[in-house]
Amino acid sequence: MATETNERQRLTVQGFFYNDPDLYPPIVNAIRLLCRAGFSVELFCRETGGPHGVSYPPEARIVRLDHRGKGSWSQFFAFLREATGRARSDAGLFWGHDMHGFVAARIAAWRRGRPFVYHCHDYADPGWMTAGIQVVHAFERRFARTAD
């Protein structure tokens, strides 16, 4: 016989951020707010080798993927492959932050058939973008409206 518990099942939000969240207060605050609102958060981000001095709620799991030592395209594709490969089918939704995180969240949502949301603070000035960033930015501009 199954036992009922008073705790409600936490919905898991899986996030993707292509940088170190400890250095971005909006990411840290978003994780804290989501956990306070009753969600579990698992954030895939890059390992940058810096100190990790930020305290996250116990309902949050920060997964730092280390692909340093490769060229920029190799790093990004390795991040995409590993992060989207670890996307959970039981996640309630996927969350992408900024244009690189958007690409990972969109792919994960498509592969797992789950909704995704997009949050961006970047202002992308085409005048300073490298050719690689222009490709990522074009993907973002083309598919941003597909976010739930």
mmCIF file of all heavy atoms in Angstrom, residues 95-131:
data_model
loop_
_atom_site.group_PDB
_atom_site.id
_atom_site.type_symbol
_atom_site.label_atom_id
_atom_site.label_comp_id
_atom_site.label_asym_id
_atom_site.label_seq_id
_atom_site.Cartn_x
_atom_site.Cartn_y
_atom_site.Cartn_z
ATOM 1 N N TRP A 95 14.922 25.499 -19.362
ATOM 2 C CA TRP A 95 15.129 26.938 -19.269
ATOM 3 C C TRP A 95 16.473 27.273 -19.905
ATOM 4 O O TRP A 95 17.499 26.728 -19.511
ATOM 5 C CB TRP A 95 15.091 27.327 -17.795
ATOM 6 C CG TRP A 95 15.716 28.622 -17.399
ATOM 7 C CD1 TRP A 95 15.615 29.814 -18.046
ATOM 8 C CD2 TRP A 95 16.523 28.857 -16.243
ATOM 9 N NE1 TRP A 95 16.313 30.783 -17.359
ATOM 10 C CE2 TRP A 95 16.873 30.215 -16.245
ATOM 11 C CE3 TRP A 95 16.971 28.065 -15.204
ATOM 12 C CZ2 TRP A 95 17.657 30.788 -15.259
ATOM 13 C CZ3 TRP A 95 17.750 28.625 -14.216
ATOM 14 C CH2 TRP A 95 18.073 29.978 -14.250
ATOM 15 N N GLY A 96 16.447 28.132 -20.907
ATOM 16 C CA GLY A 96 17.683 28.579 -21.539
ATOM 17 C C GLY A 96 17.954 30.028 -21.195
ATOM 18 O O GLY A 96 17.047 30.850 -21.216
ATOM 19 N N HIS A 97 19.184 30.328 -20.851
ATOM 20 C CA HIS A 97 19.551 31.704 -20.529
ATOM 21 C C HIS A 97 20.583 32.205 -21.534
ATOM 22 O O HIS A 97 21.594 31.557 -21.770
ATOM 23 C CB HIS A 97 20.113 31.801 -19.116
ATOM 24 C CG HIS A 97 20.138 33.209 -18.618
ATOM 25 N ND1 HIS A 97 21.080 34.108 -19.010
ATOM 26 C CD2 HIS A 97 19.300 33.878 -17.800
ATOM 27 C CE1 HIS A 97 20.850 35.272 -18.437
ATOM 28 N NE2 HIS A 97 19.762 35.157 -17.698
ATOM 29 N N ASP A 98 20.296 33.352 -22.117
ATOM 30 C CA ASP A 98 21.117 33.985 -23.151
ATOM 31 C C ASP A 98 21.202 33.081 -24.383
ATOM 32 O O ASP A 98 20.680 31.979 -24.393
ATOM 33 C CB ASP A 98 22.479 34.394 -22.621
ATOM 34 C CG ASP A 98 22.376 35.498 -21.565
ATOM 35 O OD1 ASP A 98 21.355 36.212 -21.562
ATOM 36 O OD2 ASP A 98 23.296 35.633 -20.750
ATOM 37 N N MET A 99 21.811 33.588 -25.437
ATOM 38 C CA MET A 99 21.685 32.900 -26.727
ATOM 39 C C MET A 99 22.287 31.499 -26.751
ATOM 40 O O MET A 99 21.733 30.602 -27.368
ATOM 41 C CB MET A 99 22.220 33.759 -27.865
ATOM 42 C CG MET A 99 23.700 33.958 -27.910
ATOM 43 S SD MET A 99 24.210 34.825 -29.411
ATOM 44 C CE MET A 99 24.382 36.464 -28.778
ATOM 45 N N HIS A 100 23.392 31.262 -26.065
ATOM 46 C CA HIS A 100 23.995 29.927 -26.075
ATOM 47 C C HIS A 100 23.150 28.937 -25.265
ATOM 48 O O HIS A 100 22.961 27.795 -25.677
ATOM 49 C CB HIS A 100 25.417 29.989 -25.523
ATOM 50 C CG HIS A 100 26.363 30.742 -26.395
ATOM 51 N ND1 HIS A 100 26.504 32.112 -26.312
ATOM 52 C CD2 HIS A 100 27.204 30.331 -27.369
ATOM 53 C CE1 HIS A 100 27.404 32.503 -27.187
ATOM 54 N NE2 HIS A 100 27.840 31.450 -27.849
ATOM 55 N N GLY A 101 22.632 29.370 -24.130
ATOM 56 C CA GLY A 101 21.749 28.519 -23.331
ATOM 57 C C GLY A 101 20.440 28.240 -24.042
ATOM 58 O O GLY A 101 19.848 27.174 -23.877
ATOM 59 N N PHE A 102 19.991 29.209 -24.833
ATOM 60 C CA PHE A 102 18.767 29.027 -25.614
ATOM 61 C C PHE A 102 18.897 27.849 -26.561
ATOM 62 O O PHE A 102 17.984 27.023 -26.676
ATOM 63 C CB PHE A 102 18.448 30.294 -26.408
ATOM 64 C CG PHE A 102 17.388 30.099 -27.449
ATOM 65 C CD1 PHE A 102 16.061 30.003 -27.085
ATOM 66 C CD2 PHE A 102 17.715 29.973 -28.784
ATOM 67 C CE1 PHE A 102 15.074 29.798 -28.031
ATOM 68 C CE2 PHE A 102 16.735 29.773 -29.739
ATOM 69 C CZ PHE A 102 15.415 29.681 -29.366
ATOM 70 N N VAL A 103 20.018 27.756 -27.257
ATOM 71 C CA VAL A 103 20.222 26.666 -28.222
ATOM 72 C C VAL A 103 20.102 25.319 -27.505
ATOM 73 O O VAL A 103 19.397 24.420 -27.971
ATOM 74 C CB VAL A 103 21.583 26.806 -28.936
ATOM 75 C CG1 VAL A 103 21.845 25.593 -29.831
ATOM 76 C CG2 VAL A 103 21.639 28.092 -29.760
ATOM 77 N N ALA A 104 20.769 25.175 -26.370
ATOM 78 C CA ALA A 104 20.720 23.910 -25.621
ATOM 79 C C ALA A 104 19.304 23.604 -25.132
ATOM 80 O O ALA A 104 18.833 22.463 -25.253
ATOM 81 C CB ALA A 104 21.689 23.975 -24.437
ATOM 82 N N ALA A 105 18.611 24.611 -24.593
ATOM 83 C CA ALA A 105 17.247 24.389 -24.092
ATOM 84 C C ALA A 105 16.300 24.021 -25.223
ATOM 85 O O ALA A 105 15.433 23.151 -25.058
ATOM 86 C CB ALA A 105 16.742 25.632 -23.361
ATOM 87 N N ARG A 106 16.454 24.656 -26.356
ATOM 88 C CA ARG A 106 15.571 24.364 -27.506
ATOM 89 C C ARG A 106 15.764 22.939 -27.975
ATOM 90 O O ARG A 106 14.807 22.224 -28.262
ATOM 91 C CB ARG A 106 15.859 25.364 -28.640
ATOM 92 C CG ARG A 106 14.950 25.168 -29.840
ATOM 93 C CD ARG A 106 13.528 25.574 -29.448
ATOM 94 N NE ARG A 106 12.561 25.178 -30.415
ATOM 95 C CZ ARG A 106 11.730 24.130 -30.302
ATOM 96 N NH1 ARG A 106 11.776 23.352 -29.256
ATOM 97 N NH2 ARG A 106 10.853 23.866 -31.217
ATOM 98 N N ILE A 107 17.018 22.506 -28.074
ATOM 99 C CA ILE A 107 17.315 21.131 -28.507
ATOM 100 C C ILE A 107 16.769 20.129 -27.484
ATOM 101 O O ILE A 107 16.131 19.140 -27.855
ATOM 102 C CB ILE A 107 18.825 20.939 -28.726
ATOM 103 C CG1 ILE A 107 19.283 21.747 -29.939
ATOM 104 C CG2 ILE A 107 19.174 19.456 -28.900
ATOM 105 C CD1 ILE A 107 20.799 21.842 -30.093
ATOM 106 N N ALA A 108 17.002 20.382 -26.193
ATOM 107 C CA ALA A 108 16.512 19.470 -25.147
ATOM 108 C C ALA A 108 14.994 19.371 -25.177
ATOM 109 O O ALA A 108 14.428 18.277 -25.073
ATOM 110 C CB ALA A 108 16.997 19.936 -23.776
ATOM 111 N N ALA A 109 14.321 20.509 -25.320
ATOM 112 C CA ALA A 109 12.851 20.516 -25.348
ATOM 113 C C ALA A 109 12.332 19.751 -26.555
ATOM 114 O O ALA A 109 11.356 18.999 -26.453
ATOM 115 C CB ALA A 109 12.337 21.953 -25.366
ATOM 116 N N TRP A 110 12.967 19.925 -27.679
ATOM 117 C CA TRP A 110 12.559 19.220 -28.898
ATOM 118 C C TRP A 110 12.769 17.715 -28.734
ATOM 119 O O TRP A 110 11.888 16.923 -29.059
ATOM 120 C CB TRP A 110 13.356 19.761 -30.088
ATOM 121 C CG TRP A 110 13.154 18.970 -31.330
ATOM 122 C CD1 TRP A 110 12.057 18.961 -32.130
ATOM 123 C CD2 TRP A 110 14.084 18.048 -31.909
ATOM 124 N NE1 TRP A 110 12.245 18.089 -33.172
ATOM 125 C CE2 TRP A 110 13.483 17.518 -33.059
ATOM 126 C CE3 TRP A 110 15.365 17.635 -31.565
ATOM 127 C CZ2 TRP A 110 14.120 16.588 -33.864
ATOM 128 C CZ3 TRP A 110 16.000 16.707 -32.367
ATOM 129 C CH2 TRP A 110 15.371 16.192 -33.503
ATOM 130 N N ARG A 111 13.943 17.320 -28.210
ATOM 131 C CA ARG A 111 14.252 15.893 -28.057
ATOM 132 C C ARG A 111 13.366 15.212 -27.022
ATOM 133 O O ARG A 111 13.019 14.045 -27.166
ATOM 134 C CB ARG A 111 15.719 15.711 -27.671
ATOM 135 C CG ARG A 111 16.667 16.025 -28.812
ATOM 136 C CD ARG A 111 18.105 15.854 -28.408
ATOM 137 N NE ARG A 111 18.377 14.451 -28.166
ATOM 138 C CZ ARG A 111 19.443 14.014 -27.506
ATOM 139 N NH1 ARG A 111 20.302 14.864 -27.017
ATOM 140 N NH2 ARG A 111 19.636 12.731 -27.329
ATOM 141 N N ARG A 112 13.007 15.931 -25.956
ATOM 142 C CA ARG A 112 12.238 15.336 -24.860
ATOM 143 C C ARG A 112 10.747 15.641 -24.929
ATOM 144 O O ARG A 112 9.976 15.150 -24.113
ATOM 145 C CB ARG A 112 12.781 15.804 -23.507
ATOM 146 C CG ARG A 112 14.222 15.418 -23.260
ATOM 147 C CD ARG A 112 14.354 13.929 -23.150
ATOM 148 N NE ARG A 112 15.719 13.582 -22.753
ATOM 149 C CZ ARG A 112 16.217 12.382 -22.857
ATOM 150 N NH1 ARG A 112 15.475 11.400 -23.322
ATOM 151 N NH2 ARG A 112 17.450 12.139 -22.502
ATOM 152 N N GLY A 113 10.348 16.471 -25.878
ATOM 153 C CA GLY A 113 8.925 16.785 -26.016
ATOM 154 C C GLY A 113 8.362 17.552 -24.834
ATOM 155 O O GLY A 113 7.222 17.335 -24.426
ATOM 156 N N ARG A 114 9.176 18.429 -24.268
ATOM 157 C CA ARG A 114 8.781 19.194 -23.098
ATOM 158 C C ARG A 114 8.785 20.681 -23.425
ATOM 159 O O ARG A 114 9.440 21.119 -24.365
ATOM 160 C CB ARG A 114 9.747 18.942 -21.926
ATOM 161 C CG ARG A 114 10.003 17.490 -21.586
ATOM 162 C CD ARG A 114 8.776 16.733 -21.181
ATOM 163 N NE ARG A 114 8.227 17.272 -19.942
ATOM 164 C CZ ARG A 114 7.020 17.025 -19.508
ATOM 165 N NH1 ARG A 114 6.209 16.265 -20.188
ATOM 166 N NH2 ARG A 114 6.601 17.548 -18.387
ATOM 167 N N PRO A 115 8.094 21.502 -22.650
ATOM 168 C CA PRO A 115 8.109 22.949 -22.885
ATOM 169 C C PRO A 115 9.449 23.557 -22.463
ATOM 170 O O PRO A 115 10.200 22.959 -21.688
ATOM 171 C CB PRO A 115 6.975 23.473 -22.004
ATOM 172 C CG PRO A 115 6.782 22.442 -20.954
ATOM 173 C CD PRO A 115 7.183 21.122 -21.562
ATOM 174 N N PHE A 116 9.712 24.754 -22.998
ATOM 175 C CA PHE A 116 10.906 25.470 -22.564
ATOM 176 C C PHE A 116 10.632 26.958 -22.516
ATOM 177 O O PHE A 116 9.734 27.463 -23.177
ATOM 178 C CB PHE A 116 12.108 25.147 -23.464
ATOM 179 C CG PHE A 116 12.169 25.912 -24.748
ATOM 180 C CD1 PHE A 116 13.059 26.968 -24.895
ATOM 181 C CD2 PHE A 116 11.366 25.572 -25.819
ATOM 182 C CE1 PHE A 116 13.135 27.673 -26.083
ATOM 183 C CE2 PHE A 116 11.437 26.255 -27.007
ATOM 184 C CZ PHE A 116 12.319 27.321 -27.145
ATOM 185 N N VAL A 117 11.406 27.626 -21.680
ATOM 186 C CA VAL A 117 11.323 29.077 -21.551
ATOM 187 C C VAL A 117 12.701 29.653 -21.837
ATOM 188 O O VAL A 117 13.721 28.969 -21.702
ATOM 189 C CB VAL A 117 10.826 29.522 -20.150
ATOM 190 C CG1 VAL A 117 9.399 29.088 -19.919
ATOM 191 C CG2 VAL A 117 11.735 29.010 -19.053
ATOM 192 N N TYR A 118 12.699 30.913 -22.209
ATOM 193 C CA TYR A 118 13.931 31.578 -22.604
ATOM 194 C C TYR A 118 14.051 32.893 -21.870
ATOM 195 O O TYR A 118 13.099 33.653 -21.790
ATOM 196 C CB TYR A 118 13.903 31.797 -24.120
ATOM 197 C CG TYR A 118 15.074 32.543 -24.676
ATOM 198 C CD1 TYR A 118 16.370 32.230 -24.306
ATOM 199 C CD2 TYR A 118 14.882 33.564 -25.598
ATOM 200 C CE1 TYR A 118 17.441 32.912 -24.837
ATOM 201 C CE2 TYR A 118 15.953 34.245 -26.137
ATOM 202 C CZ TYR A 118 17.234 33.918 -25.747
ATOM 203 O OH TYR A 118 18.291 34.587 -26.266
ATOM 204 N N HIS A 119 15.225 33.137 -21.309
ATOM 205 C CA HIS A 119 15.488 34.349 -20.542
ATOM 206 C C HIS A 119 16.795 34.940 -21.054
ATOM 207 O O HIS A 119 17.806 34.243 -21.112
ATOM 208 C CB HIS A 119 15.613 33.964 -19.078
ATOM 209 C CG HIS A 119 15.751 35.118 -18.155
ATOM 210 N ND1 HIS A 119 16.155 34.972 -16.865
ATOM 211 C CD2 HIS A 119 15.531 36.437 -18.321
ATOM 212 C CE1 HIS A 119 16.188 36.140 -16.270
ATOM 213 N NE2 HIS A 119 15.814 37.048 -17.134
ATOM 214 N N CYS A 120 16.775 36.199 -21.444
ATOM 215 C CA CYS A 120 17.969 36.788 -22.048
ATOM 216 C C CYS A 120 18.223 38.195 -21.530
ATOM 217 O O CYS A 120 17.312 39.018 -21.483
ATOM 218 C CB CYS A 120 17.812 36.811 -23.565
ATOM 219 S SG CYS A 120 19.257 37.428 -24.416
ATOM 220 N N HIS A 121 19.476 38.440 -21.172
ATOM 221 C CA HIS A 121 19.922 39.778 -20.795
ATOM 222 C C HIS A 121 20.917 40.322 -21.803
ATOM 223 O O HIS A 121 21.426 41.416 -21.644
ATOM 224 C CB HIS A 121 20.596 39.767 -19.421
ATOM 225 C CG HIS A 121 19.656 39.518 -18.311
ATOM 226 N ND1 HIS A 121 19.965 38.712 -17.249
ATOM 227 C CD2 HIS A 121 18.404 39.954 -18.085
ATOM 228 C CE1 HIS A 121 18.955 38.665 -16.414
ATOM 229 N NE2 HIS A 121 17.987 39.408 -16.904
ATOM 230 N N ASP A 122 21.251 39.530 -22.806
ATOM 231 C CA ASP A 122 22.259 39.940 -23.788
ATOM 232 C C ASP A 122 21.709 40.961 -24.760
ATOM 233 O O ASP A 122 20.586 40.832 -25.242
ATOM 234 C CB ASP A 122 22.732 38.742 -24.624
ATOM 235 C CG ASP A 122 23.771 37.906 -23.925
ATOM 236 O OD1 ASP A 122 24.289 38.360 -22.895
ATOM 237 O OD2 ASP A 122 24.050 36.800 -24.405
ATOM 238 N N TYR A 123 22.515 41.932 -25.039
ATOM 239 C CA TYR A 123 22.249 42.791 -26.188
ATOM 240 C C TYR A 123 23.323 42.428 -27.191
ATOM 241 O O TYR A 123 24.519 42.608 -26.935
ATOM 242 C CB TYR A 123 22.335 44.279 -25.829
ATOM 243 C CG TYR A 123 22.312 45.143 -27.068
ATOM 244 C CD1 TYR A 123 21.153 45.310 -27.793
ATOM 245 C CD2 TYR A 123 23.472 45.749 -27.522
ATOM 246 C CE1 TYR A 123 21.124 46.066 -28.934
ATOM 247 C CE2 TYR A 123 23.455 46.515 -28.673
ATOM 248 C CZ TYR A 123 22.287 46.672 -29.374
ATOM 249 O OH TYR A 123 22.270 47.408 -30.517
ATOM 250 N N ALA A 124 22.928 41.883 -28.301
ATOM 251 C CA ALA A 124 23.881 41.407 -29.296
ATOM 252 C C ALA A 124 24.027 42.443 -30.408
ATOM 253 O O ALA A 124 23.143 42.612 -31.228
ATOM 254 C CB ALA A 124 23.427 40.071 -29.858
ATOM 255 N N ASP A 125 25.141 43.141 -30.405
ATOM 256 C CA ASP A 125 25.448 44.122 -31.436
ATOM 257 C C ASP A 125 26.186 43.418 -32.564
ATOM 258 O O ASP A 125 27.320 42.963 -32.379
ATOM 259 C CB ASP A 125 26.318 45.234 -30.837
ATOM 260 C CG ASP A 125 26.694 46.300 -31.854
ATOM 261 O OD1 ASP A 125 26.251 46.219 -33.018
ATOM 262 O OD2 ASP A 125 27.437 47.219 -31.455
ATOM 263 N N PRO A 126 25.561 43.294 -33.736
ATOM 264 C CA PRO A 126 26.195 42.572 -34.844
ATOM 265 C C PRO A 126 27.573 43.109 -35.221
ATOM 266 O O PRO A 126 28.384 42.400 -35.801
ATOM 267 C CB PRO A 126 25.207 42.741 -36.000
ATOM 268 C CG PRO A 126 23.899 43.019 -35.347
ATOM 269 C CD PRO A 126 24.222 43.764 -34.080
ATOM 270 N N GLY A 127 27.874 44.343 -34.846
ATOM 271 C CA GLY A 127 29.165 44.926 -35.194
ATOM 272 C C GLY A 127 30.344 44.265 -34.503
ATOM 273 O O GLY A 127 31.452 44.280 -35.020
ATOM 274 N N TRP A 128 30.149 43.656 -33.343
ATOM 275 C CA TRP A 128 31.262 43.034 -32.614
ATOM 276 C C TRP A 128 31.229 41.512 -32.634
ATOM 277 O O TRP A 128 32.111 40.864 -32.096
ATOM 278 C CB TRP A 128 31.329 43.512 -31.164
ATOM 279 C CG TRP A 128 30.144 43.121 -30.321
ATOM 280 C CD1 TRP A 128 29.070 43.894 -30.051
ATOM 281 C CD2 TRP A 128 29.898 41.863 -29.675
ATOM 282 N NE1 TRP A 128 28.164 43.202 -29.278
ATOM 283 C CE2 TRP A 128 28.656 41.951 -29.022
ATOM 284 C CE3 TRP A 128 30.605 40.667 -29.589
ATOM 285 C CZ2 TRP A 128 28.105 40.895 -28.300
ATOM 286 C CZ3 TRP A 128 30.052 39.614 -28.862
ATOM 287 C CH2 TRP A 128 28.823 39.745 -28.231
ATOM 288 N N MET A 129 30.220 40.918 -33.246
ATOM 289 C CA MET A 129 30.083 39.467 -33.226
ATOM 290 C C MET A 129 31.079 38.785 -34.153
ATOM 291 O O MET A 129 31.293 39.216 -35.268
ATOM 292 C CB MET A 129 28.680 39.062 -33.688
ATOM 293 C CG MET A 129 27.606 39.319 -32.721
ATOM 294 S SD MET A 129 26.091 38.580 -33.381
ATOM 295 C CE MET A 129 24.890 39.587 -32.624
ATOM 296 N N THR A 130 31.650 37.696 -33.646
ATOM 297 C CA THR A 130 32.465 36.839 -34.499
ATOM 298 C C THR A 130 31.513 36.054 -35.407
ATOM 299 O O THR A 130 30.295 36.017 -35.177
ATOM 300 C CB THR A 130 33.288 35.853 -33.652
ATOM 301 O OG1 THR A 130 32.374 34.994 -32.958
ATOM 302 C CG2 THR A 130 34.193 36.582 -32.671
ATOM 303 N N ALA A 131 32.062 35.385 -36.395
ATOM 304 C CA ALA A 131 31.225 34.592 -37.312
ATOM 305 C C ALA A 131 30.477 33.503 -36.544
ATOM 306 O O ALA A 131 29.306 33.229 -36.813
ATOM 307 C CB ALA A 131 32.083 33.979 -38.411
#
